Each structure stands twice: as structure tokens, then as C-alpha cells.
Amino acid sequence: VLELGIETGRRELVSWARQSYEHAEVWGTDFGWFPEGMGHRHGETCCTTDMIEAALLLGRHVDRGYFADAERFGRNHLIETQFLSLSRLEKALAKLPEDTGPAPHEGRYSTSQGVAASQIGAFAARSTLNDALHLDAPAMMQCCNAAGARALHDLWRYATEPDAIHLRFSVETPALRVVSHEPVRGQLDLTSRRDGPLAVRLPDGVHHALVIEGGSPQPIEAREGYVHLEVRAGQPFSLHYALPERLAHYEVGSPGKTLSCTGHWRGET
């Protein structure tokens, strides 16, 4: 609906989609976990991807403030749901009931051989707030593998424009080279391949940064979440900013059947 409203210029569709997005946000978390169904205790990577893509569309076409949502969802739950370690995946799978039977259509459409190893690089399907597998409804689903890979591409594709950095990930494009040091420290090492203005989004709630270009640091103030610079092609410089720390409590699910955890935040991680 949001894409249709943007493409056709129908503001009532954009408004409806924006309200729907904000309603869905209430049922999930600000770090990117979203339930498969309202009131469920398990999420889906597909749901996280839906919210990332909606936030990117809203950020590009409605209000740049939504880029903060996309960064938090991607930097946290999405990236953490990708299986990058076989030993960690096998440890998670060991919690599930053992299935010793053959795979349906063994050898033709599916196999029971090397299943865990084949999932390295894939994504958790029904994750909890802080676990890859929800034991009420354990599954590893190819829809989530595809959605997770697409969301990673979306975040890379829309992190920057030639004159703006919306998501503070390490990215290299024909226009910009960005090396991010988050969450260890608030620092971006930047090189533009063009002369002209460059806007950089700071973490939510941060209003000042320091620019270091060869000499002493120069303070710069943010406007509407972005610092605005004049850059020279090929001239590297660094941007330094605060990463505020905070605690947040999360509780999801339906009454009488909830999951809870505490989040330790540094900036948007």
C-alpha cells in the first residue's frame, strides 16, 4: 500500500500505510523483533524485513526520521538472526526434539543430510527476543532466509546517497567510502569522491559532532538529526559523536503468556 501510494501520489494511501506501520511498531520492539502474529511470543525474519522496508520507504519519501528505525532494526535483530557459526547453530538445534526419520521425498526435493551446515548464512525463522528458536513453534523456513538476505541488501542499497549518509554502516559506493566504528565508538571515517554538500545522520538524540580533517577537531551542530558538511573529492576525514547508553525493558506476547528481557543500548546498537 505504501509503495502504491508513493508511485501514484495518493496521499491517503501513504497516510494509511504510515499509521499501519506505527501500529505494528507497538507490537514489536525498537531493536527489530516483530511477532509473526499479534500477541505471539515468536517473531519472523520476514516481519523484521517488512518493517525495515517500510521504514526505508517512509524515510526516503515521507520523513527522514524513519531511517533511525531502519538502522536499529537492521543493526540489531536482523544481523543477529543470521547464522554465521556452525557450532552455535548446532547448539541451538540440540534443543529441538530429535527427528531420525527420512526427509520427505529424500534425495529428490529434500534431504536429511548436512542440514545444519547448509543453513550457514541463512536466517532464524521463528526467533524469540533473544533466542534463535522458539520452542513453541520451532522452524527454519526458506521464506525467512530469502527475506533476511533481501533486508541486508536493502540496508546496504539505501544507507547512502551521493550527498547523504542515512544509515551508519560501512559502505563503499561510487560516490562514498564509509567505515563505521559503531558500536565500539561513535566514529565514521569518510571519503567522498565528489565535491559538494554531505549530510550525515547522527544517532537518535545526538545533536553535536566533531569533524577531524588533518588538523584540530571542529564542532558541528545537527539540524533535524543530520550534520551538514562541505566535502572535497578524495579528502578523507573523520566524524566523531556520542553514543548514549541506556537500559530498556521489553515484554511481548499476550496476557498470561509473555516473554521479557532487558536491552543494554549504546547509541542505536
Side-chain angles (χ1 to χ4, degrees), residues 32-244:
W33 179 92
F34 291 97
E36 185 178 21
M38 299 308 189
H40 287 195
R41 297 189 302 168
H42 65 270
E44 266 207 46
T45 299
C46 293
C47 303
T48 298
T49 295
D50 289 342
M51 294 297 283
I52 287 173
E53 292 182 334
L56 289 171
L57 282 168
L58 289 166
R60 292 167 56 211
H61 298 283
V62 178
D63 182 341
R64 293 201 300 188
Y66 286 99
F67 281 119
D69 287 353
E71 175 138 0
R72 285 196 312 274
F73 302 162
R75 186 178 282 281
N76 297 287
H77 201 70
L78 175 73
I79 288 176
E80 291 302 319
T81 56
Q82 189 176 25
F83 295 122
L84 301 177
S85 164
L86 180 57
S87 62
R88 289 184 66 184
L89 176 56
E90 289 175 334
K91 185 178 179 180
L93 293 175
K95 299 178 183 179
L96 302 182
E98 187 176 5
D99 183 357
T100 57
H105 308 289
E106 176 74 47
R108 186 176 181 189
Y109 299 120
S110 57
T111 180
S112 59
Q113 304 301 311
V115 174
S118 73
Q119 292 299 297
I120 299 305
F123 290 80
R126 289 179 171 146
S127 60
T128 68
L129 291 175
N130 199 28
D131 209 336
L133 298 168
H134 194 296
L135 299 187
D136 288 353
M140 298 175 74
M141 300 184 289
Q142 299 308 318
C143 59
C144 290
N145 290 341
R150 193 177 75 241
L152 287 180
H153 173 268
D154 291 334
L155 292 166
W156 171 82
R157 168 68 179 81
Y158 297 110
T160 68
E161 297 179 82
D163 61 352
I165 297 171
H166 303 299
L167 311 175
R168 297 178 312 281
F169 297 112
S170 295
V171 174
E172 182 140 13
T173 73
L176 281 167
R177 176 179 172 84
V178 182
V179 177
S180 175
H181 295 261
E182 293 190 43
V184 175
R185 58 184 175 276
Q187 179 180 335
L188 295 179
D189 297 333
L190 304 168
T191 305
S192 176
R193 296 186 172 95
R194 52 177 286 281
D195 294 335
L198 178 67
V200 182
R201 190 182 67 81
L202 297 182
D204 217 11
V206 176
H207 306 293
H208 302 87
L210 293 175
V211 180
I212 302 177
E213 185 178 350
S216 59
Q218 300 296 318
I220 187 169
E221 204 164 319
R223 303 195 309 271
E224 298 180 343
Y226 286 72
V227 291
H228 297 266
L229 314 161
E230 284 292 326
V231 296
R232 292 173 292 170
Q235 179 64 48
F237 66 97
S238 294
L239 194 66
H240 296 252
Y241 45 87
L243 293 178

